[in-house]
Amino acid sequence: MRIRKSAERDFETMMEIYAHARAFMAEHGNPRQWGPTNWPPQDLIHQDIRKGNSYVCVNEDDKVIGTFFFVYGEDIEPTYRNITDGAWHDASPYGVVHRIAADHSEKGIGAFCISWALEQCGHLRIDTHGDNTVMQNLLRKLGFEQCGIIYVEEDNDPRLAFEKTLRR
């Protein structure tokens, strides 16, 4: 597997992967995270691609099998400014992964994408819905620590906030 920036030619495949992810989440006890709003919206994915923050994971045959948003910088995620029931452990610039999804055609796609993002920046923050036990388990397996609760604009459901720093 390898990671590359997404291009408009990847858009339809990415949207198919997101549809697969919504169904997978619903089947695994997490129907509310993306389901009711048909998240993520197409406009947002086009914007991510244009801004250069959208990535795909491709297999050895160059087939797109996963997708995610990644950006790195200082104070780059406004929803992460307010964290309750805990605190971030590292105040340095950080990377953020959002909208991660895989087609499940191969084992370990999500772990590969998250590990790649962490290697790019050395400090990564990510959040997930309280019902998304699959993602929570993956993050813990990868050594992320739960830091508290954040809220997103899309809905009122709290998100569990995780962080990992390689510099510790």
Side-chain angles (χ1 to χ4, degrees):
M1 288 185 272
R2 67 180 177 84
I3 304 295
R4 67 168 170 79
K5 287 201 180 228
S6 304
E8 280 297 329
R9 71 179 182 275
D10 302 314
F11 178 78
E12 290 303 321
T13 302
M14 292 166 64
M15 295 313 292
E16 289 170 11
I17 290 171
Y18 284 124
H20 173 81
R22 285 189 294 275
F24 179 87
M25 286 192 284
E27 291 168 10
H28 290 84
N30 183 21
R32 294 190 343 232
Q33 185 172 354
W34 288 358
T37 60
N38 203 35
W39 191 260
Q42 293 185 8
D43 297 7
L44 183 58
I45 301 307
H46 285 300
Q47 178 182 311
D48 291 348
I49 293 169
R50 275 193 309 277
K51 289 185 173 182
N53 297 325
S54 177
Y55 293 83
V56 290
C57 178
V58 298
N59 65 12
E60 290 182 14
D61 297 327
D62 234 18
K63 179 184 183 278
V64 174
I65 58 174
T67 184
F68 61 99
F69 168 95
F70 170 71
V71 67
Y72 173 77
E74 190 158 334
D75 195 27
I76 53 172
E77 178 51 68
T79 60
Y80 288 179
R81 291 180 190 140
N82 297 317
I83 186 169
T84 62
D85 296 330
W88 297 112
H89 301 304
D90 184 340
S92 70
Y94 58 90
V96 173
V97 168
H98 288 312
R99 299 183 280 288
I100 186 167
D103 70 2
H104 293 98
S105 63
E106 296 185 27
K107 200 165 176 61
I109 298 168
F112 185 83
C113 294
I114 292 169
S115 296
W116 177 89
L118 181 61
E119 289 170 13
Q120 306 310 299
C121 61
H123 178 201
L124 194 62
R125 292 179 179 174
I126 190 169
D127 66 87
T128 193
H129 196 279
D131 292 339
N132 195 340
T133 57
V134 173
M135 180 58 76
Q136 292 168 42
N137 291 337
L138 174 60
L139 292 171
R140 288 184 179 104
K141 178 181 159 191
L142 294 174
F144 281 77
E145 295 178 49
Q146 186 176 337
C147 296
I149 305 290
I150 60 103
Y151 291 86
V152 296
E153 294 176 8
E154 292 78 35
D155 59 49
N156 293 321
D157 291 337
R159 298 298 197 272
L160 304 179
F162 289 84
E163 180 176 44
K164 183 173 180 177
T165 303
L166 296 178
R167 295 183 283 275
R168 279 193 191 181

